[in-house]
Amino acid sequence: MAAAKDPPSTPKSKRLYQLWKGNNKFLCGGRAVFGPDAASLFLTTFLIGGPAIAFCIKMLLLIIRTNDPCYDFPVLVGGLALTIMDFVFLFMTSGRDPGIIPRNSQPPESDESLGSTNQSMEWVNNKITDLKLPRTKDIIINGHSIKVKFCETCLLYRPPRASHCSICNNCIQKFDHHCPWVGQCIGQRNYPFFIGFISTSTTLCIYVFMFSWFNVLRQHRTLWNAMSHDVLSVVLIAYCFVAVWFVGGLTLFHVYLIGTNQTTYENFRYRYDKKENPFNRGIINNLKQVFFSKVPASQINFQEWVSEDDKSIMGSPDINGNFIGKGKFDIEMGGKFGKDGAIHLPTILQNLDYGSLDDNLKKKGEGKPAFDPFLFPADQEQQNSPQSSSDKSNPVGDNRKQ
């Protein structure tokens, strides 16, 4: 008797990026991920490349006209190197997944057993039929409660420090801001390259400004006469003087954010100057976390072949890329209850950095959390109290986000 044949495999019709519900634009078969306003890259490229290339052409002409290659040639090489580095950082910031969190095709299932956890008194009420879920929930990290908010677009509870960008229509891990100049969200996976971009832009502005002045002053003329004979250098001096205040100020601001382990969104919204930042590890460790930590792999394989009716394409993958189904306690709701009654965190939350929460969590002598939007007392009596102040706290969210 002939062996029974296996059923035909499901046809794979499209790549995942072709079915993605966010507003992203993709190139190279899903390898390059841009924001919906990626066209702004042309303006940014012109604002950087125009003056930089003009300066390099100026130095090249000086090499041809004058007999001083020992000065002009190194200056030309330095300008070219900074320009190339700036463009590399720009496109590495703009053209990669900033840390998009996989969305769900169905909302997480509500479970009465979650009643023992601290829940928001505000319930989700949107277009989804019969969806009855608390808008915010607390998950336990190192014995402390951290509040996460339900995203009605992505149908998941966001991990701490994540937020939903209404421009890209995605939840972004460690969301910093949406940058219109690079046409992309700035998040966990492209933040180091964004810092490289703005710091290199600042260095390039200072470089062109300084050597343009040298080109004017090295002429054997009076200052005004030399400026009238070298209009290009004067224009570059004026342009770089104005530009350096913008990119230089932005660079200094982000140096401060890195040193204090904040995001732009957190700094504008939560004002850590009045509250203790639970993520702050000290300047050295904060710098190591940004510049010397491995960039995490993307949680989404946009090049994967999927069928159009495959509901798993919007599921939440684990660290190996396998999609996880619903359990007693959904992955985005914080984990599953074990036999010991503790919440076991899923991979998406285990990979986050919570090591600094224990040391800086509470104010000295008060026993109260210092970070209102995320951290709440771990005391079970307070959690079970219907009048708990945490039930009245504002849910975490972006003022322009859902």
Side-chain angles (χ1 to χ4, degrees):
M1 181 180 294
K5 295 184 178 180
D6 295 330
S9 59
T10 304
K12 297 180 179 180
S13 55
K14 290 186 178 181
R15 300 275 190 178
L16 176 56
Y17 76 88
Q18 296 176 306
L19 303 175
W20 186 249
K21 293 183 178 180
N23 297 331
N24 303 88
K25 296 180 180 180
F26 300 89
L27 293 177
C28 302
R31 293 176 179 85
V33 184
F34 294 90
D37 49 349
S40 61
L41 276 174
F42 292 103
L43 175 61
T44 304
T45 301
F46 173 77
L47 292 176
I48 296 173
I53 294 175
F55 173 77
C56 292
I57 293 175
K58 171 70 177 180
M59 297 309 303
L60 182 61
L61 293 176
L62 288 175
I63 293 175
I64 297 174
R65 293 175 183 175
T66 65
N67 192 21
D68 190 12
C70 295
Y71 169 81
D72 296 327
F73 185 75
V75 173
L76 172 62
V77 173
L80 286 173
L82 285 173
T83 303
I84 293 173
M85 286 177 58
D86 208 13
F87 281 124
V88 168
F89 282 126
L90 171 62
F91 289 105
M92 289 185 73
T93 302
S94 178
R96 67 186 291 121
D97 171 12
I100 301 174
I101 301 175
R103 61 180 66 199
N104 284 336
S105 59
Q106 299 294 330
E109 299 174 0
S110 181
D111 198 313
E112 296 299 328
S113 64
L114 297 176
S116 60
T117 62
N118 199 4
Q119 299 182 6
S120 170
M121 298 300 291
E122 185 179 2
W123 295 83
V124 173
N125 183 19
N126 68 353
K127 61 180 180 289
I128 304 174
T129 306
D130 298 329
L131 178 60
K132 192 173 179 64
L133 291 169
R135 189 171 296 276
T136 60
K137 269 191 184 297
D138 298 340
I139 59 173
I140 307 301
I141 303 292
N142 295 328
H144 302 291
S145 183
I146 297 181
K147 182 172 287 294
V148 294
K149 182 183 178 182
F150 184 78
C151 178
E152 299 180 37
T153 301
C154 299
L155 301 180
L156 52 82
Y157 283 90
R158 303 173 193 148
R161 311 192 87 176
S163 189
H164 187 92
C165 176
S166 59
I167 298 176
C168 295
N169 195 27
N170 293 311
C171 280
I172 307 297
Q173 192 69 269
K174 199 178 180 182
F175 177 80
D176 189 88
H177 70 287
H178 183 94
C179 181
W181 295 105
V182 303
Q184 180 65 284
C185 283
I186 308 301
Q188 186 178 38
R189 298 193 68 250
N190 64 350
Y191 185 73
F193 304 106
F194 173 75
I195 297 300
F197 165 62
I198 60 176
S199 59
T200 306
S201 298
T202 302
T203 305
L204 182 60
C205 282
I206 296 174
Y207 187 90
V208 173
F209 175 85
M210 182 176 62
F211 285 104
S212 294
W213 262 119
F214 287 168
N215 290 335
V216 172
L217 297 176
R218 68 192 290 200
Q219 301 179 36
H220 300 290
R221 298 186 178 98
T222 62
L223 178 61
W224 292 110
N225 191 15
M227 293 176 66
S228 63
H229 283 80
D230 195 353
V231 178
L232 177 59
S233 293
V234 175
V235 172
L236 291 176
I237 290 170
Y239 181 89
C240 292
F241 178 79
V242 174
V244 76
W245 289 100
F246 292 96
V247 294
L250 183 62
T251 301
L252 292 176
F253 173 66
H254 277 276
V255 168
Y256 162 73
L257 293 181
I258 294 171
T260 55
N261 205 331
Q262 301 181 62
T263 64
T264 300
Y265 172 68
E266 291 171 347
N267 180 266
F268 285 177
R269 188 175 178 86
Y270 299 134
R271 298 181 180 178
Y272 284 143
D273 55 336
K274 297 182 180 179
K275 303 171 185 177
E276 186 178 1
N277 180 4
F279 300 100
N280 190 356
R281 295 175 156 192
I283 296 178
I284 301 300
N285 289 327
N286 292 339
L287 292 173
K288 289 181 179 179
Q289 185 180 16
V290 173
F291 296 110
F292 299 100
S293 297
K294 184 179 179 181
V295 176
S298 175
Q299 299 181 39
I300 307 172
N301 181 13
F302 288 107
Q303 303 173 53
E304 179 184 8
W305 285 99
V306 294
S307 59
E308 294 189 46
D309 58 349
D310 187 357
K311 299 299 183 181
S312 69
I313 63 174
M314 297 303 166
S316 297
D318 61 13
I319 193 171
N320 298 317
N322 301 315
F323 289 95
I324 301 174
K326 305 295 179 184
K328 183 177 182 181
F329 192 42
D330 189 82
I331 182 170
E332 280 80 23
M333 295 177 69
K336 296 185 178 182
F337 285 104
K339 297 180 180 179
D340 55 358
I343 297 178
H344 298 278
L345 295 177
T347 304
I348 192 173
L349 296 178
Q350 290 175 352
N351 290 338
L352 299 178
D353 182 12
Y354 303 115
S356 60
L357 292 179
D358 287 333
D359 297 334
N360 301 319
L361 179 64
K362 296 185 178 181
K363 295 179 179 179
K364 294 182 179 180
E366 296 183 4
K368 295 181 180 180
F371 187 37
D372 300 53
F374 289 140
L375 307 176
F376 294 84
D379 192 312
Q380 191 65 31
E381 295 181 359
Q382 279 190 320
Q383 291 182 355
N384 293 332
S385 172
Q387 301 298 327
S388 173
S389 61
S390 62
D391 290 340
K392 301 178 182 179
S393 61
N394 293 328
V396 180
D398 194 333
N399 55 356
R400 69 174 188 183
K401 300 168 179 60
Q402 303 188 33

